[in-house]
Amino acid sequence: MIKRIVVLTGAGISAESGIQTFRAADGLWENHRVEDVATPEGFDANPELVQSFYNQRRRGLLSAAVQPNAAHIALAELEQNFHGELLLVTQNIDDLHKRAGSRRLIHMHGELLKMRCISSQQVFEILEDITPELRCPCCGLRNMLRPHVVWFGEMPLAMDDIYTALARCDVFVAVGTSGQVYPAAGFVEVANEAGARTIEVNLDDSARTSAFAEQRRGLASRELPALCR
Ligand code: BV8
């Protein structure tokens, strides 16, 4: 009897919604090197570049063309219908899981539609560009706001809750992730140690494929609804 499922998603689950994956761009995001736009050092060195990188991605996410796809919907329906506990952990910073209806959801790398005061660490929703003129809602000052996302070298969010769920899960499913970014890429080890059934749903092999007991190769929008039935 399956009581507890943990699902980890990566950029591949949002690819069919029109959001560029990290790998497809050969490690470049919108023509920028990761180190220049997804690290605290990059932000310190060139805040305008980093803000514009995220402003561009936020505008893209908010365009009407970007909608949850059948894979996001299958996970939201699974949460509704599953008799046990389902925890969805996403590496993605888009809001497509939430828009599809998932509620037991952890954004371990933060969220594109949130910003944070670099002084108080308070988090606020943001649906527009973060500009130097934008005053911080908590301290009223300018140039105090950064995207609420986890950059390389920064600690991902809710790691204790994630490890607790992994250590007791019966099934662990990874969807649309190349398994190259840690600590997310190491979650399958924790699930294996817990004796869980491990399944990788991906377009092609990932860096962690050999650690999964089962592989489902194909588009997440096809493989996931079939798996969740
Ligand atoms: C940490 C938010 C420790 C920002 C992201 C050296 C120096 C510094 C750090 C390190 C280092 N060596 C290792 C590290 C750790 C580092 C890391 O892992 N680096 C890698 C690159 C080697 N990790 C970190 O820094 C993490 N923090 O370790 O902290 C610590 C300890 C104590 C105190 C403080 C700190 C933080 C990592 C988080 C970085 N932020 N995102 C933003 O989005 O701008 S990572 C970002 O890239 C994503 O969130 C995601 O996690 C990652 C992309 O990976 P994927 O999601 O897997 O996407 P990808 O494109 O790679 O793959 C897509 C897959 O889908 C492919 O396999 C493809 O085949 C498949 N696919 C495509 N289409 C479909 C499909 N599958 C199915 N259907 C489809 N249609």
Side-chain angles (χ1 to χ4, degrees):
M1 167 90 145
I2 297 174
K3 298 195 191 78
R4 288 181 282 271
I5 302 174
V6 175
V7 179
L8 170 70
T9 61
I13 200 169
S14 296
E16 292 167 83
S17 296
I19 295 186
Q20 183 181 29
T21 67
F22 177 79
R23 287 265 68 74
D26 298 329
L28 279 183
W29 260 322
E30 319 284 347
N31 307 318
H32 296 296
R33 288 181 336 126
V34 173
E35 307 76 67
D36 295 340
V37 289
T39 61
E41 298 76 17
F43 183 65
D44 292 343
N46 191 340
E48 294 78 19
L49 171 69
V50 174
Q51 294 288 19
S52 72
F53 173 64
Y54 286 96
N55 289 341
Q56 181 186 333
R57 288 169 69 189
R58 191 175 305 107
R59 273 183 246 130
L61 176 57
L62 292 170
S63 78
V66 175
Q67 295 295 331
N69 65 57
H72 297 105
I73 292 163
L75 289 175
E77 288 173 352
L78 180 63
E79 178 182 318
Q80 290 289 327
N81 305 327
F82 178 52
H83 55 84
E85 287 171 35
L86 173 74
L87 175 65
L88 174 52
V89 180
T90 187
Q91 300 174 86
N92 302 335
I93 62 175
D94 63 54
D95 65 338
L96 296 177
H97 283 304
K98 182 177 164 196
R99 283 163 57 191
S102 290
R103 289 297 171 266
R104 286 208 69 225
L105 169 61
I106 291 177
H107 276 275
M108 64 178 289
H109 291 162
E111 296 176 69
L112 190 52
L113 301 184
K114 290 185 178 169
M115 63 182 178
R116 187 165 85 225
C117 174
I118 54 180
S119 167
S120 70
Q121 302 305 310
Q122 277 191 70
V123 177
F124 306 94
E125 300 273 338
I126 175 84
L127 297 177
E128 58 191 11
D129 286 3
I130 300 177
T131 62
E133 297 70 41
L134 186 63
R135 289 184 183 279
C136 174
C138 73
C139 53
L141 301 175
R142 291 193 180 120
N143 289 310
M144 294 299 282
L145 294 162
R146 61 164 278 182
H148 181 53
V149 299
V150 177
W151 285 325
F152 287 96
E154 294 185 323
M155 182 56 99
L157 308 174
M159 292 307 292
D160 291 348
D161 294 343
I162 295 170
Y163 283 122
T164 300
L166 286 168
R168 43 202 293 267
C169 74
D170 305 305
V171 178
F172 174 67
V173 185
V175 187
T177 179
S178 63
Q180 303 196 49
V181 175
Y182 286 82
F187 289 173
V188 60
E189 260 79 44
V190 183
N192 280 329
E193 277 156 30
R197 182 180 165 202
T198 52
I199 306 166
E200 181 185 62
V201 177
N202 213 52
L203 209 48
D204 42 30
D205 280 8
S206 74
R208 306 311 328 274
T209 292
S210 59
F212 287 85
E214 300 169 48
Q215 288 80 22
R216 306 281 177 104
R217 287 288 169 264
L219 294 170
S221 64
R222 290 223 196 92
E223 294 300 324
L224 214 44
L227 181 67
C228 295
R229 256 194 283 281

